[in-house]
Each structure stands twice: as C-alpha cells, then as structure tokens.
Amino acid sequence: MSDTRRRVKVYTLNEERQWEDRGTGHVCCSEAASLTVTGEADGSVLLESRISPDTAYQKQQDTLIVWSEAENCDLALSFQEKAGCDEIWEKICQVQGKDPSVEITQDPVDESEEERFEDTPESGHLLELPPCEPERLEELAELVTSVLPSPVRREKLALALLSSGYIRKLLQLFRASEEADDRRGLQQLYQIVRGLLFLNKATLFEVMFSDDCIMDVVGCLEYEPALLQPKSHREFLTKTARFREVIPITDSELRQKIHQTYRVQYIQDIILPTQSVFEDNFLSTLSSFIFFNKVEIVSMLQEDEKFLTEVFAQLTDEATEDSKRRELVNFFKEFCAFSQTLQPQNRDAFFKTLANLGILPALEIVMGMEDVQVKAAATDIFSYLVEFSPSMVREFVMQEPQQADDDVLLINVVIKQMICDSDPELGGAVQLMGLLRTLIDPENMLAPASKTEKSEFLSFFYKYCMHVLTAPLLANTAEEDPDLTEGAAKVNPVCPDNFQTAQLLALILELLTFCVEHHSYHIKSYIMTRDLLRRVLTLMNSRHSFLALCALRFMRRIIGLKDEYYNRYIVKGNLFEPVINALLDNGTRYNLLNSAIIELFEFIRVEDIKSLIAHIVDNFTTALESIEYVQTFKGLKGRYEQEKERQSRGFSSAYSTPALKRYLYGQTCRPRTGSSAGNRMCVFRRRSDVQILDMYTI
C-alpha cells in the first residue's frame, strides 16, 4: 500500500458523550495495516491505530470515519477532502476484505448476541420488512420497537431499510395518510419514525435529514398518540423561524448545511423527549451528526474571507441601520457559539481572524448602543473572546489610550455596561463582572508569549479604568457631616436604600475585594490615597444586610493580609468605629452580620495583631464591655495586658503607653519646647529605625 497522507482532524468521545478535538494532522495507512496521524504543528503522533479485521468502521457524511477500539473508546477522523476519506476507506476495506461501497465494515456484535442468533435461520441475512402499506404499519411499528434492545438486530434493520429505499416509501405513505386524514396511521408512523431515530445510525440520518425527506420526518413526529391535536412543528420551521442572511451566502452547499443543522437541532431539542428518560447514549450519533455539521459550517465560513470582510465592513459602518447591525451582531454571536466545536488550533486561528478583522473595535461601538438585545449579544461575544484569550483583549486595550479618551476604552465601556445592567433579574452585570475579574486576574497573565506583562497591565488598569469602576461607590457614599453635634447619630444620608443600586455596589465591592487579595501594591496605593476603606465602611449603615456584609468582607480581606501599612491606616483613621457601631446597633440579634463581625475581631485576637489590639482596647473597651456572650473581647483585652506587661519588663520607662503607640503606629513626635533636642523630629517606622535622641523629651 502506498503511504498516502491526507489532512484530518482527530476526535475522541469523552465520558459526557461529547466529541473532543485531539488535533489536526496528516493520516497515512502503512504497510503494517495501521492508521497513523502525525500532528501538523509539531510532528507528534496524534493517533496510531492498527486496522483490526474485527473492528467495525463506519463511513459517515462523505468525510468521516468512525470506529471503536475498546470499551468506551470511540474515535473519529474528519477529513478535509472527500477524496482523502475515500482513499483511506478503501485501505480499511482492503485490509478487512470488504467492498468499499459499504458504509460499515462489520456488524458491531458482542459474543452474547452472536451466540443468541447464530442458530437462527435469519441471522446471516437482512431482516425481512413488511410491505410499506397502511394495513401493515402496526406490524412495522412492533418490529422497530422489538429490535431496539439488540445491537445486532438494530444493525440488521438499518441495513434492510437502506437496501430497499424503505424510508422514502414510508414518507410517501405519510403524505398519503395525511391527505386522507388517517389519524391512526399517522400515529403509527410517529412510533415508527421515532424508533428509526433511536436506532442511532448515521447512515439512516443521512437519508432522513436530506432536503427531500427532513420536513416529512418532522411531520411524522407531529402526530404523537398522547396528544389530542398534532403539533405544528413544520409551520414553525417554514413560517415562524426565518433564515436571516446578514450578507447573502452564495455557496449553496453552505446554505443547505445551515438549514439542515438548524432543523436537526430542533428535532433533538424540541421534538424528541429529554435523553434522561431513555437509555444512556441512545441518541449519541444524532449529537455527533450535529457536532460535525457545526464544525463544517464554521470552517466554510472562516475560509470565505470575502464574506467575513463584508460583514465587518457593515458592522462598523456608521451608516448601517440599527436593525441591520442587530442582525450582524446576532450572527457573530451564533458564529462564536459554533466555534466552540473547533479544535484548539483551529479555534485559535478563528479568533485571531476575528481580531484581525476588527472584532474588538466593533464591540466598542455596539456595546454603547441603546438596544438591549444588541448589548446582550455583544456581551456574549466579548465573553467568548475573554474566555479564549484574555491576553489578546488586554493587549488591544493597552494600545487604545494613543487613539481614544478614557471614556471609550473597551474596558471602561464594559464597566459602564455593568453599571447600566445592574438589575439582578437580568444577570448581565454579574456576567460582565466575571469577565472583568478574568481580565485583571494575575493568574492568567503568566503565559510566556503574552505581550502584556502583569505590572504593565495593572498599572494601566489603575490609571485609566479604576476610577470608572469605583465611581458609583464614591457617588453613593459620603463623608460624615462635620456639622453634626457630638453624640448625634452618625447616619450617612447618601447610603443607598435602592435595591438595584445596592446590588451594583455589592458587585463592585466583590471585585475590589478580589483586587485586595491579588493586587498587593496597586490596590494598596489606591485605597490609601483615596481613603477608600472609610468610604466603603459607610455602607455598614445600609438597610440591605448583604451590602453591609460586602463592606465588612472588604475590610476583613485587608486585615487578613496582616500588613502593617494597612494597620496603621486603619488605626489613624479610626476605621473600627463604624464596624463596632454596627455591632452595637445589631443588639442581641444572632445573625450573619453579628457572626461576621465577631469573626473579624477573633481573627485579630488569634493572630495577635498587636497594633490593632492596642487600638481596639484603648478606644473601645467601654463600649464592648457589655458583650459577654463570646470571650473574644475579653481575650483582646487579655492580649493587650500581656503585651503591656511584657513591654514594661523588657523596656525602660520611656516605653510608656503613649510612646508605645507612637512606636507601633509610626506617628511623628516633637521634643518639648526648650529641650536640648531642639527642633529635631523622629518618625518611628519599625523597630530598627527607632533612634532615641532625647529620652526624656519623647
């Protein structure tokens, strides 16, 4: 045999009965009668399979060869050209001594089935089908139902149906029965056609889903016996469901494939019962049929550069009508959804093609439109792009400031979209928040080929985008009124009571909390320079407990870092006050807010964060004395007294409580007037920095 190489895609069927791409390469059939696929990217061996004389190989849809090598190991080769598939199929048939005109080389028979039927007269022959006549439909329905449990008889029935052109005769009988309004005959045809689908044979599907047969198949499935009136599936497919060509498709084969895929998907999703009702994998071949159709559609569209160029030109043209642009965006949404069937290498090429044609600038335009459907579709497209390659999106965004204002940067457009879609019933804001989180997650900034280094992108984000993200938070929180008299209730009048606004602020706080955990330098600088924690803690007054908890969680993450810079910021700003006020206002109610606040102080006690313990005990002991149902605050006071005792034993009287405070908190102190130290200042940062120049003037 000649060592002929053909370009193929290799697929395996996973445990969820979904086809997984294993790579693209070239297949050859060696002299040793084995199929070998060598990867075109790196030359690695993607598949090496010996052609066994007993293995059942199936040829499907002119460009597919499918077989099983072992239990739960299904393989498929998808050929780029029909000629290549035909040539390898001839090699397989030659090894097995079969006629290349057959669609399956062996009957998939297990030993128990062979033994059961080897002595029956009909075991070596096709099943005998009753004449295709109205009075014999009941007999045929019983035959189809009876063979379903047996793989052997299912195969024999499929061969019998194909060899005699029986399916087309059945569909002719359906048309005659419908004209005669033979309800009983139509219900029997429903049982028969439904049973033919459950035979799970690709060769039957190719006939049943052909242009001249598929609508009659749908018609048969309208007459379910349990229904008083037949369904109207054909009316929906021909009148309600309209095929919209955003750009005219001139390839008739592509057009036919799109129509077929939609109709078969409709049969699987709408007409047939859910698969959970039936035996596992009962319709696995139907799923495979749809899968490979989608792969072929995406490949054909992607190769048509003229078509895609025209689509992008109209999408970005300002003169394009809104209705037309809506159709274009929905087309790209479906296109991206279909692309998920591609193998990684081809999916990579697909999204790079979209990027080169300008999909990201186009999204900036359509996401700013008022049309809710357009924005939703654009968000889905953006999610596909972010999921595929966050680095590609980041690289595009970082090039924008040279060409655009901050307000129209893609990430800022996405943030504004999140703010506008904050209605929790819609779920759009949650999706966009997840996409933003993916983009700023350092964990996916580590790819060697990425051009957007972690520090560069985060610096960009905090400079150009963070102010847009925090704008609603700053707008809905306010500084406490300085005119409030001492002792008056410190209630923030701007704290939002609107549920939708509270939901939005909760999403923003969730993202900021993520930043605290993963962006150590950038978020720390942002929080301290803008006094952000103080603004966040005003939300402890919100009547929405989930928002108060989000504010508390933000502070808890900061304290959990045990960073002394953060600790000094909290102490200097007296930022425990709103938390303790919330605890006291909550009273004796045992709820989530109470537990979360207690856990915060318990963490400080267990971790022995001395600067925070000293601040809490010095300033809030009296207020917290009444809380005795937990030992947390007594424990904090005990920790404080232990530290004070230890300090008094280990240091001179210079380390009195005020001096200890300055040591811990990094405050600036000046010598007393007239001292020998003059006007010198000492700033205590850490123990190694402490220089006591005038012990008695501190």
Side-chain angles (χ1 to χ4, degrees), residues 212-269:
D212 59 328
C213 292
I214 189 167
M215 294 309 292
D216 287 332
V217 169
V218 173
C220 291
L221 295 172
E222 291 180 350
Y223 291 92
E224 185 176 352
L227 301 176
L228 295 176
Q229 295 295 328
K231 295 282 189 177
S232 303
H233 298 304
R234 284 173 293 175
E235 181 180 353
F236 175 83
L237 290 173
T238 56
K239 297 181 180 180
T240 306
R242 293 184 301 160
F243 177 57
R244 296 183 177 89
E245 292 184 80
V246 291
I247 301 293
I249 297 175
T250 57
D251 189 334
S252 59
E253 182 183 356
L254 173 59
R255 183 195 298 269
Q256 184 274 334
K257 188 69 67 175
I258 292 172
H259 284 310
Q260 183 189 61
T261 304
Y262 176 79
R263 291 165 179 168
V264 176
Q265 188 86 60
Y266 182 86
I267 291 173
Q268 184 187 51
D269 295 343

Side-chain angles (χ1 to χ4, degrees), residues 32-319:
S34 65
L35 297 173
T36 303
V37 180
T38 304
E40 65 179 4
D42 54 9
S44 61
V45 177
L46 301 178
L47 175 69
E48 188 170 9
S49 174
R50 181 175 177 80
I51 301 175
S52 170
D54 301 324
T55 298
Y57 292 84
Q58 295 184 50
K59 184 182 177 187
Q60 302 176 8
Q61 302 182 42
D62 293 332
T63 56
L64 284 174
I65 297 177
V66 182
W67 73 99
S68 298
E69 288 209 336
E71 188 176 359
N72 299 325
C73 182
D74 294 338
L75 300 168
L77 294 180
S78 176
F79 289 78
Q80 180 173 324
E81 302 175 5
K82 179 179 182 297
C85 182
D86 291 341
E87 185 167 350
I88 295 299
W89 183 250
E90 290 179 6
K91 303 291 186 185
I92 294 172
C93 292
Q94 183 179 345
V95 172
Q96 294 197 339
K98 300 291 182 180
D99 185 347
S101 63
V102 301
E103 299 290 339
I104 183 168
T105 62
Q106 303 285 337
D107 291 342
V109 183
D110 57 43
E111 272 189 31
S112 60
E113 291 288 348
E114 273 190 313
E115 293 171 357
R116 186 181 306 171
F117 292 102
E118 65 182 356
D119 296 329
T120 60
E122 71 274 19
S123 62
H125 307 282
L126 296 178
L127 287 178
E128 184 177 349
L129 298 174
C132 191
E133 300 171 354
E135 58 271 14
R136 305 296 293 274
L137 287 177
E138 184 175 358
E139 181 182 348
L140 179 60
E142 292 176 354
L143 174 62
V144 172
T145 303
S146 68
V147 304
L148 292 179
S150 167
V152 176
R153 303 196 71 195
R154 286 205 306 267
E155 185 64 34
K156 291 183 180 296
L157 176 58
L159 293 174
L161 291 166
L162 290 170
S163 64
S164 60
Y166 203 89
I167 293 176
R168 284 186 165 84
K169 296 177 184 178
L170 272 177
L171 297 178
Q172 290 175 1
L173 183 57
F174 162 73
R175 291 192 290 271
S177 299
E178 196 168 40
E179 289 178 3
D181 196 21
D182 179 6
R183 183 58 62 89
R184 179 172 174 78
L186 292 170
Q187 291 176 345
Q188 290 171 340
L189 282 165
Y190 168 87
Q191 299 287 359
I192 292 168
V193 170
R194 177 174 171 273
L196 297 185
L197 292 173
F198 290 151
L199 290 178
N200 207 25
K201 298 298 177 185
T203 50
L204 293 182
F205 293 160
E206 290 178 12
V207 177
M208 298 173 71
F209 300 150
S210 60
D211 284 347
D212 59 328
C213 292
I214 189 167
M215 294 309 292
D216 287 332
V217 169
V218 173
C220 291
L221 295 172
E222 291 180 350
Y223 291 92
E224 185 176 352
L227 301 176
L228 295 176
Q229 295 295 328
K231 295 282 189 177
S232 303
H233 298 304
R234 284 173 293 175
E235 181 180 353
F236 175 83
L237 290 173
T238 56
K239 297 181 180 180
T240 306
R242 293 184 301 160
F243 177 57
R244 296 183 177 89
E245 292 184 80
V246 291
I247 301 293
I249 297 175
T250 57
D251 189 334
S252 59
E253 182 183 356
L254 173 59
R255 183 195 298 269
Q256 184 274 334
K257 188 69 67 175
I258 292 172
H259 284 310
Q260 183 189 61
T261 304
Y262 176 79
R263 291 165 179 168
V264 176
Q265 188 86 60
Y266 182 86
I267 291 173
Q268 184 187 51
D269 295 343
I270 306 300
I271 299 179
L272 294 178
T274 56
Q275 294 187 34
S276 59
V277 179
F278 299 96
E279 175 183 344
D280 289 343
N281 310 326
F282 223 30
L283 294 171
S284 59
T285 304
L286 183 62
S287 299
S288 300
F289 186 95
I290 296 170
F291 172 84
F292 287 114
N293 264 18
K294 290 181 178 179
V295 170
E296 195 169 347
I297 289 170
V298 173
S299 299
M300 294 172 74
L301 284 173
Q302 188 178 351
E303 291 168 3
D304 192 342
E305 295 182 1
K306 182 179 179 180
F307 176 83
L308 287 180
T309 302
E310 180 64 22
V311 171
F312 270 99
Q314 291 199 24
L315 184 64
T316 55
D317 188 352
E318 294 182 359

